[in-house]
Amino acid sequence: MTAQATPNTAPRYAVVGKFPPSEKAFQELSQYLEEVGLNPTEGVFTGAVKCRTWDATPTRTVIKACAPYLQQELSLLPDTVRYVLVMGNEALQATLGKSGITKYRSKEYEIAGTGTVERDGKVIHSQPLIAVPTLAHNAVKRNPGQYSGFMADLKFFAAKVNGKDGAAVVKPPKRIRYVLDKDTLRALKAALENADVVSYDIESASDHPGFLEKDPSSKIVSIAFTLVSKDRKLSCWALPLFHPESPWRSNWERILEFIRRVFCRIRVSIAHNGKFDNRWLRQWGVNRYLTFDTMLAAHLLEENRRKSLKELAHMELGVPNWAIETKELLKTPIMEVLEYNGLDTWYTYHLYRLFRRQLKEQPALDRIFNRFYMPSANEFTGIERRGVWTDRERLVERHKEAVRQLAEVDAKIMEYVPEGHGLKEVNFNPSNFLRWLLFDHLGLPVIRRGKEKDDGRPGDPSVAEGVMMELAEHHPIAQLLLDRVKWNKYCSSFFAAYLELIDDDDRIHTTFKLHGTTTGRLSSGKENDGEKISAKKQVRGVNLQQVPRDKFIRGLFGAQPGWYFVEFDYSQIELRVAAFLANEPTMKYLYQTGQDIHMTMAMQMTGKPAHLVTKEERKKAKSVNFGFLYGMQWMKYIDTAWNNYGLRVTDDEAKAFRKAFFAQFPELLVWHRRQRAMVAKYGRVQSPLGRVRHLPDIYSPDREVKAEAERQAINSPVQSFASDMILISLVILHQKFREMGLQARSIGTVHDALNMEVPAPEMGVVLPMVKEVMENLPLEEWFDLHVDIPIVADCKVGHRWGDAIELEGHQIANWDPKILEAAS
DNA sequence: GTCAACAGCGCG
DNA sequence: AAAGCGCGCTGTTGAC
């Protein structure tokens, strides 16, 4: 059962991998374990799969078949073993019956069926084992980027085995003051008044999970504070509000009002994902500026890590999970809720101390954090609450139209479905029915297959767009299916979400994550994927960064009567940034003389002169430029040309085209080499503003993994800088709008674009100001960075997003509403 | 019924 | 032999 000699002392822990470890694997594992202070001779090593077969990737069935043997084996371990290190997904399935190691890792779970075992009336094993899942060490070897998290898991496991749970770096507060009577309430107010620093957190509840604070059923259940007084004393407080057992339940809004002013005046305010708390607090009139978000700091310092408060406290402070089981806060005893709420603020405060120090050690990151990251986070509190005005009438109308179109296409496709086909329901989505219809019934050729099955069977035939385009040459049904995809997507993905999420003020809200991407771009979608919302209820979200460009959809969004929808986007920003970073003379020349590189490519590809190139064709050329810019090879280019242009390109043509691209911009290749050297040397790259992308996978022995990291090293600084420019614009403009007493305001960003709504009378002032700000960011002043490429912001104005028209420079400088009328 | 993986497609 | 980057949402399937 074990690969090494039987330990001569009683075992103290067990380790389960995919297979019982080989001699080599055992040696490697031993090193890791010794590093975290565990003696390998005190461990029992085994595997999920007993029968090592020819098949290197055991199927679920095999694992399932082996699981009882493993459980029995574990149950028979002596009571000196309490903890089991579970390494990899197969071991996870065998011990806990769960799949998804990245989700389950770093925590502890009881292993079912490993309780008391008696033999001959004698108890030989008396308690259930505890599993601590982590990654398979082979996976870590292949992806060195996983190393630090893996070691943190091992440390956590070692602390459990060695019974050093109490050895957390940060201890819980000696006392949490529960504000349950008037005297304590007054004491809290005095403490807030006397505080220099506050870490805060709210607990909230709503009948509609995922809904905004604006929902009538939404309430603040409790609020907690960790305070640092002016004489540097720490205290932790928890104040119940709407909780059923709260003494303040009936007048909780007044209690909040009672402490509002003193709370808002505190100099330093800290929260974890404070944008959420601030949105809710603002709903009840509490307008608290957030000065330090620990989640955002965590992201800026290490963009690859997990960012939940519990996980950070675990990894950084050694604090065991304090979460309460249920998410039904109103049904949880009040003292449990309050303790939980208080601890949240306590550990948030301690993370703040750590991250603030780490940021100070990296001045470039600290500058980013303070200059525009925190300010923009505060701005997004307002943006999310505001939402985007939506034309309800059009929404309803066009939804009907989309449903009608879908039904029409469906009817046409139906003509190819034989009567009594004997299969289950007709389903034109990518389903087994569709595959049967196309490939079995109609006998169309299988162009491509999906991923191979676990047990080695070939993957299902692909029915993706590119495949359909090829099939269109064989059979008319393929074109119908291509048409259907669009209407189906519109109905199910877009209209369904918009109709559900439009609020009583005709506005649609999204949540922006400022920690959503590794490069610093924002992501947009539903409030929370798991932590605060029960998984049982379906929560719909909407991503306002992926609204189809089709007027049919973009025409739904806009500005309320009397206002204009205004979009400013950075023209070809990533290409300009790349030209700057590569110091590419030809590209620089083209931009300095006001030319358009995407258009040049479009002309080459279509063979048309500039005035005949359509917008769509230029857009497609863009994807080719970006492809080559970021390391696309000729093989993929053949696909791209076919999918985007319906253009058949031979191998030689593709190779020649790629060569021509780099011959035109030779410095790009030098820059690529430079980025590869940089990431190889430091394991990370930096954007011109100093945002860091850690790429430990560069050290992978796997060539593919390594090459991926190299391409990321090329792309990251570009994408990073471009998206930070939008955040900086947002922050400066917000400041200006306020200073000038304007009502104009941002309603969202789309990576390189800023969307605003502007009252009609303010247009003349706002348009030229936005252009001026966006094209002349204070990069020299703020970051000591000189950019020698012209930066251009294009402007579109309309009553609706989809109907907005592009303005010329002089039209921006001299706004005249007649421009729109003339255009329509 | 729930969960996880995958395919497919929307955006930049 | 083969390799653009960065995301989020919906729907299907197979396993439990």
Side-chain angles (χ1 to χ4, degrees), chain A residues 436-495:
Chain A
W436 170 83
L437 182 67
L438 293 178
F439 305 109
D440 295 338
H441 177 64
L442 296 174
L444 296 178
V446 174
I447 312 272
R448 211 172 64 208
R449 284 183 180 275
K451 212 183 155 195
E452 186 182 280
K453 308 270 181 185
D454 278 355
D455 55 12
R457 280 178 301 140
D460 294 329
S462 166
V463 289
E465 195 185 10
V467 169
M468 281 301 163
M469 280 170 62
E470 291 203 37
L471 290 181
E473 293 170 9
H474 294 87
H475 199 284
I477 195 174
Q479 187 54 53
L480 290 172
L481 286 165
L482 281 170
D483 296 341
R484 183 184 188 277
V485 166
K486 169 181 152 178
W487 293 111
N488 184 50
K489 181 99 178 155
Y490 280 10
C491 289
S492 66
S493 197
F494 297 110
F495 282 108

Side-chain angles (χ1 to χ4, degrees), chain A residues 209-249:
Chain A
F211 263 54
L212 275 186
E213 66 277 8
K214 297 189 178 189
D215 191 78
S217 72
S218 295
K219 310 280 188 220
I220 300 181
V221 178
S222 66
I223 184 167
F225 310 96
T226 288
L227 302 173
V228 186
S229 67
K230 295 197 164 82
D231 51 356
R232 318 300 307 156
K233 294 233 169 63
L234 270 177
S235 61
C236 185
W237 305 72
L239 167 63
L241 293 169
F242 188 70
H243 190 281
E245 299 164 45
S246 163
W248 321 109
R249 179 177 167 104

Side-chain angles (χ1 to χ4, degrees), chain A residues 39 95 97 116 148 151 192 275 279 303 388 391 535 544 547 605 608 641 663 706 723 732 789:
Chain A
N39 183 346
T95 48
T116 307
S148 59
M151 288 311 285
L192 286 165
K275 177 157 64 66
R279 256 179 28 206
E303 72 287 355
V388 177
D391 187 330
L544 286 180
V547 178
M605 294 207 53
K608 293 183 187 172
K706 183 180 174 183
S723 51
I732 295 176
I789 301 258

Side-chain angles (χ1 to χ4, degrees), chain A residues 392-458:
Chain A
R392 184 184 289 270
E393 215 171 288
R394 274 194 188 178
L395 176 60
V396 172
E397 249 169 52
R398 292 187 180 184
H399 174 234
K400 276 188 199 141
E401 170 65 11
V403 169
R404 201 182 62 73
Q405 292 279 356
L406 180 61
E408 209 169 275
V409 185
D410 274 354
K412 284 186 194 156
I413 301 173
M414 207 52 204
E415 290 173 20
Y416 296 98
V417 178
E419 293 272 342
H421 47 79
L423 282 178
K424 42 184 180 169
E425 247 171 289
V426 171
N427 184 347
F428 299 134
N429 290 326
S431 62
N432 287 339
F433 173 81
L434 184 67
R435 293 191 180 96
W436 170 83
L437 182 67
L438 293 178
F439 305 109
D440 295 338
H441 177 64
L442 296 174
L444 296 178
V446 174
I447 312 272
R448 211 172 64 208
R449 284 183 180 275
K451 212 183 155 195
E452 186 182 280
K453 308 270 181 185
D454 278 355
D455 55 12
R457 280 178 301 140

Side-chain angles (χ1 to χ4, degrees), chain A residues 347-362:
Chain A
Y347 293 121
T348 298
Y349 170 72
H350 284 89
L351 284 174
Y352 153 75
R353 304 213 3 159
L354 175 71
F355 293 150
R356 191 189 50 170
R357 199 172 64 233
Q358 292 176 351
L359 282 172
K360 291 277 175 253
E361 286 163 6
Q362 302 184 65

